[in-house]
Amino acid sequence: TQNCPVDCQWGAWESWSSCSTPCDGGSQNHSRSVAVVADGGLPCTGPSSEMRACNTLACNSECEWGAWSQWGACTVTCGDGQAARSRTSSTCTGVSKDAGPCNMGACPMDCQLGSWGAWSECTVTCGGGTSYHTRSTTPASNGGAECQGVLSESRQCGTQACPVTECEWESWATWSACTASCGGGTSSRTRSQTGPSSCKDMESDMQQCNVQECPTDCKWGDWGVWSDCSATCGSGSMTRARDVATHAANGGATCSGSAVENQVCSPASCPVDCQWSSWSEWGECSEPCGTGVQIHNRTVKKQSAHGGNACEGASGEARKCSEQSCPVDCVYGDWGEWMTCSTDCGGGSQSRQRFEVASALHGGVNCAGVDAEMRSCNTQQCTMLGGGVVGGECIYDDWTSWSECTASCGGGQRSRDSFSICGPKTEVEDCGNE
């Protein structure tokens, strides 16, 4: 039974490494390994490692580098190569060019057919047999072209007629299992004679099997020397690389790990200027109306070091706020004295008033409640009453004069009285509406 082909599969990308420098532009990389090795299927495509720029701000604020350019084209179209980038500055000195490794993926390798081996001995000496020969292959990898053609050939041999004898053979037994799973092994079969005479042909037969090459695992070469530090001060990075000494073949394991290593280097400390943080938002006004004050602050984001410049300016600022007028609520004054009762006896009325001492302004609350009040007074019976009772009905005296209005404007009330032996009565009407 032939196994189904298995395609190569990448594992997940590892996390990005730490940036090689805290400022002035560094680099970081991550890599991935083959999770499933191809077995007769498609090889993995794409790089096993990636690199990107990081921490591109200049270390010295008085010296400003431009941003790093994009990485240029890789020097190779497959395998491991180099890519370059650059930056410019009118004031800075130091590294303006940078080079880094790039991996365009393993190069395609076409399948290669080996030479044909020698023809095997004929399976019989007469009566018609078979002879064969085989050839091996170096399988295609990384998308290379597959081999075209057969790996074994056979031809007829021993076709001359055998002498007529009483020797007879049974049928051949089935072929035995191959002695090797790859690299070339042998398989055999046997048969027995049944006639009375001894047969001179072979009682056993042998053939080659599993002639395909055995898997070869990938092997790294030695690491190269470290590159120069990428920075003249502060923190930079150095890199070194290694090449594949033996490429994986015939389904062997691919190389694990990265082709490039980075390490931090620190030639000397760079001057660091003090840096302010951004101003905070303005705080709340100290007063809801009238004139108040609001402030905002900033803090030192980075202290100066190694001879850098100190921070200049204040850490806080203040400004006026809420200059609009405050609301003023309406306020009544105290009630005035009660006015003279409208009558000396028999029940009258009297009133009093109060006035606004502060009017509502700028959206303040208006005064609540009335500004005039009225009450009954002198409710005792008079000693001498006019009128009388006629036909069971009370006869009242003439109405007294109207009392003064309780308000000169805005609406008030006034009253008048009439008396009888039946008791007083009072009439009230609105006034002060002119």
Side-chain angles (χ1 to χ4, degrees):
T1 302
Q2 185 178 5
N3 293 329
C4 295
V6 178
D7 294 340
C8 173
Q9 294 183 14
W10 285 112
W13 284 102
E14 297 176 356
S15 300
W16 286 100
S17 64
S18 300
C19 192
S20 60
T21 175
C23 56
D24 267 354
S27 60
Q28 56 185 169
N29 59 66
H30 66 173
S31 61
R32 59 180 176 176
S33 302
V34 172
V36 178
V37 177
D39 185 3
L42 298 176
C44 285
T45 59
S48 61
S49 62
E50 290 181 336
M51 179 174 291
R52 68 181 183 186
C54 56
N55 295 345
T56 56
L57 294 177
C59 291
N60 187 343
S61 61
E62 292 184 356
C63 168
E64 295 186 359
W65 283 104
W68 284 105
S69 66
Q70 297 292 325
W71 287 102
C74 194
T75 55
V76 296
T77 57
C78 64
D80 297 316
Q82 292 281 315
R85 62 177 183 173
S86 61
R87 60 179 179 177
T88 58
S89 174
S90 60
T91 57
C92 295
T93 59
V95 179
S96 61
K97 294 184 178 180
D98 187 19
C102 52
N103 186 297
M104 304 302 289
C107 294
M109 296 182 62
D110 295 340
C111 172
Q112 295 184 357
L113 290 169
S115 301
W116 285 104
W119 288 98
S120 67
E121 292 185 1
C122 190
T123 56
V124 297
T125 58
C126 63
T130 304
S131 178
Y132 63 90
H133 68 173
T134 61
R135 57 181 175 178
S136 60
T137 66
T138 300
S141 61
N142 308 317
E146 299 293 336
C147 284
Q148 302 293 324
V150 296
L151 299 182
S152 65
E153 290 180 335
S154 63
R155 65 183 180 182
Q156 289 184 334
C157 58
T159 56
Q160 67 275 15
C162 293
V164 178
T165 65
E166 294 182 359
C167 171
E168 293 182 3
W169 292 102
E170 292 181 348
S171 299
W172 286 101
T174 57
W175 289 102
S176 66
C178 193
T179 59
S181 60
C182 62
T186 58
S187 178
S188 62
R189 63 180 179 174
T190 59
R191 63 180 176 175
S192 301
Q193 65 181 28
T194 59
S197 300
S198 297
C199 295
K200 296 181 180 180
D201 293 330
M202 295 185 297
E203 293 183 359
S204 62
D205 191 11
M206 184 176 293
Q207 69 177 6
Q208 287 186 321
C209 53
N210 292 342
V211 296
Q212 72 275 11
E213 296 290 338
C214 291
T216 301
D217 293 340
C218 173
K219 293 183 179 179
W220 287 109
D222 295 332
W223 285 104
V225 297
W226 288 103
S227 66
D228 293 334
C229 191
S230 62
T232 57
C233 68
S235 180
S237 64
M238 298 189 302
T239 61
R240 66 176 182 175
R242 59 180 175 177
D243 296 320
V244 174
T246 303
H247 288 276
N250 308 313
T254 58
C255 283
S256 60
S258 175
V260 179
E261 273 188 343
N262 296 279
Q263 74 175 18
V264 177
C265 50
S266 302
S269 297
C270 295
V272 178
D273 291 340
C274 174
Q275 290 184 7
W276 286 111
S277 68
S278 300
W279 286 101
S280 66
E281 298 293 332
W282 285 100
E284 293 185 2
C285 192
S286 61
E287 300 294 338
C289 59
T291 300
V293 176
Q294 60 182 166
I295 61 173
H296 68 171
N297 301 292
R298 60 180 177 176
T299 58
V300 173
K301 182 179 180 181
K302 181 187 292 185
Q303 296 286 355
S304 60
H306 314 303
N309 296 323
C311 282
E312 296 181 355
S315 62
E317 288 181 342
R319 69 181 182 185
K320 291 182 179 181
C321 56
S322 295
E323 296 183 356
Q324 69 274 18
S325 299
C326 293
V328 177
D329 293 340
C330 173
V331 177
Y332 274 129
D334 294 333
W335 285 101
E337 295 294 330
W338 287 100
M339 299 182 67
T340 302
C341 188
S342 60
T343 181
D344 294 330
C345 62
S349 63
Q350 59 183 164
S351 62
R352 65 175 181 176
Q353 289 181 286
R354 59 179 177 177
F355 300 94
E356 293 180 1
V357 296
S359 299
L361 296 172
H362 313 302
V365 179
N366 293 322
C367 282
V370 298
D371 57 358
E373 287 182 335
M374 179 175 288
R375 69 179 181 182
S376 299
C377 56
N378 295 340
T379 57
Q380 72 278 8
Q381 291 185 350
C382 296
T383 56
M384 294 185 66
L385 299 175
V389 177
V390 178
E393 293 184 4
C394 291
I395 304 301
Y396 284 88
D397 291 337
D398 294 334
W399 290 103
T400 62
S401 299
W402 287 104
S403 66
E404 292 184 6
C405 189
T406 58
S408 60
C409 62
Q413 289 183 322
R414 65 180 182 177
S415 64
R416 63 180 180 176
D417 302 304
S418 179
F419 301 96
S420 168
I421 60 174
C422 299
K425 65 178 180 180
T426 302
E427 184 179 59
V428 180
E429 69 175 13
D430 295 332
C431 59
N433 293 316
E434 291 79 16

